Amino acid sequence: MTGLWIVAGVLVVGVIAGMVLRAGNGRIRATGRERGLPESVVSALDPQSAVTLVQISTTFCAPCRQTRALLSSLAEKTEGLRHVDLDVTDRPEVAQALGVLRTPTTLAFTPSGEELLRISGVPSGPAVLDALAGPLSRVS
């Protein structure tokens, strides 16, 4: 009987953990922070684009590939938007400097390096455009 209670408890904890992770997937958080950025991020920022989306990925991450396809397509179709994918598999210090705990995480930066927002997980294209409507509307 004790074994059944243990199994039931583990299942409940697993379901709750899954729900918490799923709720945070693709969530967009506005940040407005300025911090010292790693050189690989600074060199990725495009002074000609209103917003640069910097995607933090790892080699064996399936959601990273999905995010890369979505954001690349979005950047191609949207004036003033650029997408860069940084693989941090061999450079964990980049993820650590940015405070990234999971992949994919996408950060939106102004040309000056101000972080506008961050997205954990696979985002929704329309939600990204809505969140960046202000900075992208200033594109001439």
Side-chain angles (χ1 to χ4, degrees), residues 61-135:
C61 169
C64 295
R65 290 188 291 276
Q66 186 179 1
T67 300
R68 182 180 312 112
L70 174 96
L71 295 178
S72 293
S73 173
L74 206 60
E76 288 173 8
K77 298 174 187 173
T78 307
E79 185 180 353
L81 185 64
R82 179 171 186 240
H83 172 251
V84 176
D85 185 13
L86 290 179
D87 187 331
V88 296
T89 302
D90 297 323
R91 298 179 292 168
E93 66 279 357
V94 173
Q96 183 178 10
L98 294 171
V100 172
L101 301 176
R102 67 180 277 204
T103 59
T105 294
T106 305
L107 299 98
F109 291 103
T110 64
S112 65
E114 177 188 355
E115 183 181 323
L116 300 170
L117 58 87
R118 61 176 52 208
I119 308 162
S120 296
V122 181
S124 156
V128 171
L129 290 177
D130 285 347
L132 295 173

Side-chain angles (χ1 to χ4, degrees), residues 8-50:
V10 168
L11 286 173
V12 168
V13 169
V15 167
I16 291 171
M19 290 171 62
V20 168
L21 286 174
R22 187 173 207 174
N25 192 34
R27 193 178 101 211
I28 298 174
R29 296 182 316 270
T31 56
R33 290 185 245 183
E34 286 195 44
R35 64 167 90 193
L37 297 175
E39 179 55 38
S40 57
V41 174
V42 171
S43 64
L45 298 180
D46 183 5
Q48 305 303 317
S49 297

